[in-house]
Amino acid sequence: RISGTAAIEKDDSGIKKIWETMTPESKICYMGPYSPSEKITSYKPNLPSITPYEINEEYERLGYKNFCRIKITFKYLDILKLSYKGHERVSYVFREKVESGWIAP
């Protein structure tokens, strides 16, 4: 379990650098015709009708417009590892100093 806050870092200059190093196969994932969570009548991959190697300037702009980095600030993290030898569970609280400890699974 994780709790915290998330914020889109759309204006970060580092985003452009990341985008430029991505492969066409990765970039095409940001060029789909449907908005996230848009209802569709049947399953269709949310990809454009081109191959990764047919990406033109228009698709490049579309993909970059949909690309962002998300900064997550953790407040609490609870990790559970299941095992037949005995489950293990640890929690972390993120404040000025990280506090951690074992808790009962």
Side-chain angles (χ1 to χ4, degrees):
R1 297 180 190 140
I2 300 172
S3 68
T5 57
I8 295 173
E9 292 187 345
K10 189 70 175 169
D11 298 324
D12 184 5
S13 62
I15 292 171
K16 183 79 169 165
K17 290 177 185 175
I18 295 168
W19 179 258
E20 290 171 352
T21 63
M22 290 171 56
T23 65
E25 293 88 354
S26 294
K27 287 181 176 183
I28 205 162
C29 296
Y30 296 90
M31 300 173 190
Y34 308 110
S35 298
S37 301
E38 181 178 332
K39 289 189 178 193
I40 53 178
T41 57
S42 62
Y43 172 76
K44 297 173 191 140
N46 194 12
L47 297 170
S49 60
I50 61 169
T51 69
Y53 297 99
E54 296 172 316
I55 294 173
N56 60 26
E57 204 172 296
E58 181 182 343
Y59 278 108
E60 185 79 19
R61 277 194 304 273
L62 171 66
Y64 183 70
K65 181 180 76 100
N66 294 329
F67 182 70
C68 68
R69 180 173 18 198
I70 299 174
K71 178 182 179 181
I72 300 172
T73 303
F74 295 107
K75 292 183 180 177
Y76 180 78
L77 176 62
D78 180 329
I79 300 172
L80 173 63
K81 180 181 174 186
L82 301 175
S83 171
Y84 72 92
K85 294 180 181 180
H87 306 323
E88 298 173 5
R89 187 172 173 197
V90 65
S91 69
Y92 297 86
V93 178
F94 297 87
R95 296 189 179 117
E96 287 193 28
K97 183 178 177 184
V98 178
E99 300 169 18
S100 64
W102 293 102
I103 55 178

